[in-house]
Each structure stands twice: as C-alpha cells, then as structure tokens.
Amino acid sequence: MDGREVVLAGFVHETRDLGGIAFLVLRDRKGLAQITLVKKMVGKEMFKSVRTISRESVVQVRGQVKAEPKAPRGFEILPTDVRVLSAAQVPLPLDPTEKVECELDTRLDARFMDIRRPCVLAAFEIESAVLRSLRDYFYGQKITEVFTPKIVAAATEGGTDLFPISYFEKEAFLNQSPQLYKQMLMGAGMDRVFEIGPIFRAEEHDTRRHLNEAISIDVEISFADDKEVMSILEGAVVEAYRYVAENCSYQLEVMGLDLQVPKAPFRRITYTEALEMASERAGVKMQWGDDLDTETERFLGETIGEHYFLTDWPSSIKPYYTLPYEDKPEICRGFDLMHPRMELASGAQRVHDYSLLVERIVEKGLDPDGFEFYLKAFRYGMPPHAGWGLGLSRLVMTMLKLENIRDAVIFPRDRRRLVP
Ligand code: ATP
Ligand code: MG
C-alpha cells in the first residue's frame, strides 16, 4: 500500500515528541501503527495539538502510507488530518501498555481497559475460534443445536447449589445444567443435540477453576453408549486445538504460546486403577467409593501428563441418571475427561429405563415427584442415550496455560464479584 491514502482509527498507544518530529502510535486488535508527524510538513498547529492528545483516546487519522522498515510492521503514516473521536480522561484506571502485571481485581474492575491489552484480548479471540470449531465439528456430525431454559422449577441433581430467583408468584431457579432437558429431547426423537449456554452454580467455592456462572458445551446422543460419546468428546477437544493452531497464529504469538495438538484416542483409566496409582503416593489413604480429591487429581495429572479419561466410577458418587453396569451395579458408565491440571468434562451413558431411573432417584434420597416433568418423558418410549458436558472456560484456560479461569471469562461471576 506504499503511497496509498488511508484512514486509520484506533486507541492512542503512545505519543513521542522528538522536537521537529513526533510519533503517534495507534493500536487496535491487530497491532500497532505509527503515525509520523514532521513539523515542517504538517504545520505548527497540528504538530502541537497531536502532542496534547491523552493516551488511550480514540483517534482517526487520514494520511499516506510510507514503507518504513524501522516502524512497527514496516510502515508509517504521514498524516494530513488527525481527529480525536473520543478523548480519554487521565489518570487511566490501569495502563494497557504496561508490561508489569497488575492485580487481578484491578484488572477486572476496569475490564474494558484490561482487554485493550493484546495478550488479554488474544485469549478471547481464541475462545471465539474454539466455539466456531466446535460448532462446525458438531454440524459435521449431524448434531442439532438447541437451547433449553435457564429459568427452571427444579434442581438437576437435587441439592442446594442453586440460585433462587423470584418468578412472579412461583419459586424458580437458575439452571445448574441442561442435563434433564437434553435427555427429554432424546425422548422427543431429536436423536443428536448440542447446546452451548450458561450454567449457574451457587457453590461458595473460591478456586482458580470454579465460577458461579460458566459456559457449558453439552452433547446428548440417542442410541449411543458411553464409549461412543467419549470418542465424540475427544474428537471435539482435538479439533478445537487443531483449529486454533491453524487459524490463530497471531494470537498464539501474542500470548507467547506454541500449541501442541493432543492426539486421540486419549488414555482410559478406570476409577479403580486411578485409586491404585494414587496409593503409590506416600501418606494417602483413599477408600474405594471416595471421590477423587484435588490432590489426587493433581498427582494423576502429573503422572500421566496428557489428557485422559477416568471411567467406571462408583455409582454412589455419580448422579442418579448415570447407568450402572448390569452385572456390577456398584460401578457405572460415567466418565470424566481430565486435563493434567483439572477436570474438563463429565459424561455418561444414561439410565433410560423408567423404573430404574425412579429407583436411582429414590436411592439418592431425592423425591421422584419433583422430577415428574422429566420422568414423564421416560414412560412413552425413550431411546438409550449418552452424553456429556464440557466447560468452555476450562478448555480454553488449559489450552492457553492460563493460571486462573477468570482470565478465560470476560466478565466473571464469583462469590465476591457481581460487577461489572
Ligand atoms: P468440579 O468437580 O471440577 O467442581 P463438577 O464435576 O461439579 O466439576 P459437572 O457438574 O460435572 O462439574 O459439570 C461439567 C463440566 O462443567 C465440568 O467438568 C467443568 O468443566 C464445568 N463446570 C462445572 N462447574 C463449573 C464451575 N463452577 N465453574 C466453571 N466450570 C464448571
Ligand atoms: Mg463432573
């Protein structure tokens, strides 16, 4: 474009005045552009006014492109007109050009300004690419996208981890999972569905991998068993990595990442094998039937070093809708997909037999009457089915080696944060 007239707009990254020559560096999501003002060429007035533009203001520049090897990206703009579209106040709530990290809370309080930092923005652009690759993957597998309600009357798994809301004269909650609705759609003959949407958990946890609102990628497939949906799941993860590696080289470079695409099939380890592995660790006493704690998960992750599945869980620690093995009902067809750092997804072949489902609900100490809207779909022909739920932010944070799930969510919701 050498010699062409262009109009550029962006944030003022910095201004530098070297006497007879001044630089105005603009920034947008694609990078920096240098505007070079030679006092003799632009005149005193424009030269002076540009020096007073505050950093981070939004500016539009008209001018001529000139190849300049010393400028960022190999060109500069010789301006004929510089217009401030929106001036930034001083001081800034945080400095987007600052190399040193500032406190997470400060960053989240001024998230709009934080996201102007290229390395922060890059993660969200990659997240969008992940979503696109997953949707394409699902469409390619003839899976139908659906939406299920987030305002619901009953808990998915019973329990208390729900946010109550006022809904006219009724009691209602924010849904913790689309699980029951996905299953009802199997009874509706939709066969293969996926949903990408929010889940709400009223847990008071304060960890780097939990939030109270998260985006879940959910799949449910009729006439499939646990093994089949596990291969759809590992295929989805590999595809997301592959797509990002191929299409997000600019963002990966900004983040300083060299993305390794994992290879399918992932290792399958049964819960019982995992317990045996964990018992090699000194001082650990885990009983068969205990849920694996964070320490054990970390130990397994370090030992295995790549994505893996944990299968064949005790029926007692998986939800009522997980199908027990017929010949060994104390074990079920539930699985977790693990990244060495944390759980990414949970899934299972589901109970599709009405009587067994009622029995399982009762066994879990829940009242079947509260699940009538769901159970009804199991009385008139329900195909066998299986599915899973994958946490979007956990997929992205492990892919991009982000320390905290809050770095993978634009406006995170946790125990202490409800704004912005
Ligand atoms: P964990 O044991 O890590 O708390 P979970 O087993 O309670 O997770 P599931 O109910 O199995 O979670 O939900 C399926 C997936 O949704 C999880 O594997 C995770 O990726 C994501 N997820 C669940 N709860 C949260 C949360 N509070 N914050 C972020 N992601 C979540
Ligand atoms: Mg789980």
Side-chain angles (χ1 to χ4, degrees):
M1 294 182 79
D2 193 21
R4 292 262 295 272
E5 189 181 67
V6 292
V7 177
L8 292 189
F11 298 101
V12 174
H13 189 70
E14 65 172 321
T15 52
R16 262 179 296 147
D17 182 357
L18 307 177
I21 189 165
F23 298 111
L24 172 65
V25 180
L26 292 191
R27 186 192 63 241
D28 74 0
R29 66 199 181 110
K30 288 287 168 342
L32 304 176
Q34 176 179 303
I35 319 299
T36 307
L37 296 109
V38 182
K39 197 172 185 174
K40 277 199 205 128
M41 283 169 66
V42 299
K44 249 194 206 152
E45 205 152 308
M46 179 151 131
F47 194 82
K48 216 174 115 192
S49 73
V50 165
R51 283 189 333 194
T52 61
I53 302 174
S54 55
R55 284 175 45 225
E56 296 304 319
S57 295
V58 177
V59 165
Q60 179 180 294
V61 176
R62 181 181 291 275
Q64 202 181 40
V65 181
K66 186 170 158 254
E68 172 50 70
K70 277 181 279 175
R73 297 156 87 198
F75 71 88
E76 62 183 359
I77 307 290
L78 303 175
T80 50
D81 182 44
V82 176
R83 211 170 286 183
V84 177
L85 301 183
S86 171
Q89 288 184 11
V90 277
L92 299 169
L94 62 84
D95 186 348
T97 64
E98 196 68 66
K99 301 288 177 293
V100 284
E101 276 292 315
C102 68
E103 289 279 323
L104 184 62
D105 270 331
T106 314
R107 291 177 44 208
L108 292 176
D109 285 340
R111 192 56 149 172
F112 67 94
M113 185 67 69
D114 183 44
I115 294 174
R116 291 187 194 180
R117 296 159 65 209
C119 60
V120 179
L121 172 64
F124 299 119
E125 290 183 330
I126 290 175
E127 181 181 74
S128 167
V130 165
L131 284 167
R132 176 179 174 162
S133 70
L134 291 177
R135 283 204 167 92
D136 284 346
Y137 174 79
F138 294 146
Y139 299 148
Q141 306 244 350
K142 305 258 182 288
I143 307 178
T144 306
E145 181 160 20
V146 296
F147 295 102
T148 63
K150 304 306 148 203
I151 302 175
V152 295
T156 309
E157 292 175 23
T160 52
D161 301 333
L162 288 163
F163 288 112
I165 56 169
S166 82
Y167 192 74
F168 307 109
E169 57 286 345
K170 287 201 174 72
E171 182 180 44
F173 304 95
L174 293 176
N175 206 4
Q176 65 189 154
S177 155
Q179 180 60 30
L180 307 188
Y181 289 90
K182 282 193 300 177
Q183 290 191 260
M184 287 189 276
L185 294 179
M186 299 300 98
M190 289 192 79
D191 279 4
R192 303 163 78 80
V193 301
F194 81 92
E195 173 168 12
I196 300 177
I199 56 171
F200 302 91
R201 308 265 165 121
E203 298 152 6
E204 295 201 8
H205 35 49
D206 188 11
T207 78
R208 290 189 216 179
R209 60 178 205 286
H210 289 98
L211 289 173
N212 295 105
E213 177 178 338
I215 300 295
S216 176
I217 300 156
D218 270 87
V219 164
E220 203 69 33
I221 310 280
S222 277
F223 307 105
D225 64 10
D226 44 334
K227 309 295 178 293
E228 285 174 68
V229 294
M230 280 160 72
S231 66
I232 294 178
L233 174 54
E234 67 192 354
V237 170
V238 170
E239 180 52 22
Y241 272 78
R242 191 202 61 77
Y243 186 88
V244 169
E246 234 164 68
N247 296 282
C248 303
S249 44
Y250 172 72
Q251 286 83 1
L252 289 169
E253 194 190 314
V254 164
M255 297 187 78
L257 288 174
D258 175 25
L259 195 65
Q260 300 298 321
V261 180
K263 287 196 180 47
F266 299 158
R267 244 173 101 175
R268 270 85 165 143
I269 294 165
T270 65
Y271 166 88
T272 308
E273 286 163 353
L275 269 199
E276 275 161 22
M277 282 173 73
S279 70
E280 289 162 19
R281 197 161 45 113
V284 178
K285 279 248 167 351
M286 297 253 308
Q287 301 286 324
W288 199 90
D290 289 347
D291 203 351
L292 303 182
D293 55 23
T294 316
E295 284 303 305
T296 307
E297 278 183 8
R298 186 173 308 147
F299 173 78
L300 291 171
E302 277 165 13
T303 312
I304 296 163
E306 56 190 12
H307 290 89
Y308 65 102
F309 279 107
L310 279 175
T311 66
D312 299 348
W313 286 78
S315 303
S316 55
I317 47 179
K318 285 291 175 190
Y320 59 82
Y321 47 76
T322 314
L323 185 68
Y325 281 98
E326 238 172 291
D327 52 345
K328 246 189 166 196
E330 66 277 15
I331 303 178
C332 68
R333 292 175 179 271
F335 60 83
D336 281 1
L337 170 63
M338 307 296 296
H339 177 275
R341 288 173 61 197
M342 72 193 77
E343 176 189 316
L344 296 186
S346 285
Q349 182 166 352
R350 323 294 189 187
V351 177
H352 67 278
D353 178 82
Y354 174 78
S355 324
L356 179 58
L357 188 55
V358 174
E359 199 180 295
R360 295 278 294 143
I361 289 175
V362 173
E363 263 172 36
K364 293 279 177 187
L366 301 167
D367 179 6
D369 287 347
F371 295 92
E372 175 52 23
F373 73 100
Y374 163 70
L375 287 171
K376 204 163 145 185
F378 289 77
R379 285 201 293 264
Y380 306 94
M382 171 63 85
H385 58 278
W388 43 260
L390 163 69
L392 172 66
S393 309
R394 290 198 187 173
L395 175 62
V396 171
M397 78 180 279
T398 49
M399 177 187 283
L400 304 181
K401 300 186 161 66
L402 301 170
E403 277 290 308
N404 196 312
I405 194 167
R406 290 160 184 79
D407 281 316
V409 177
I410 294 184
F411 296 114
R413 286 289 169 264
D414 63 29
R415 180 82 180 82
R416 286 164 296 115
R417 184 171 289 278
L418 200 49
V419 280

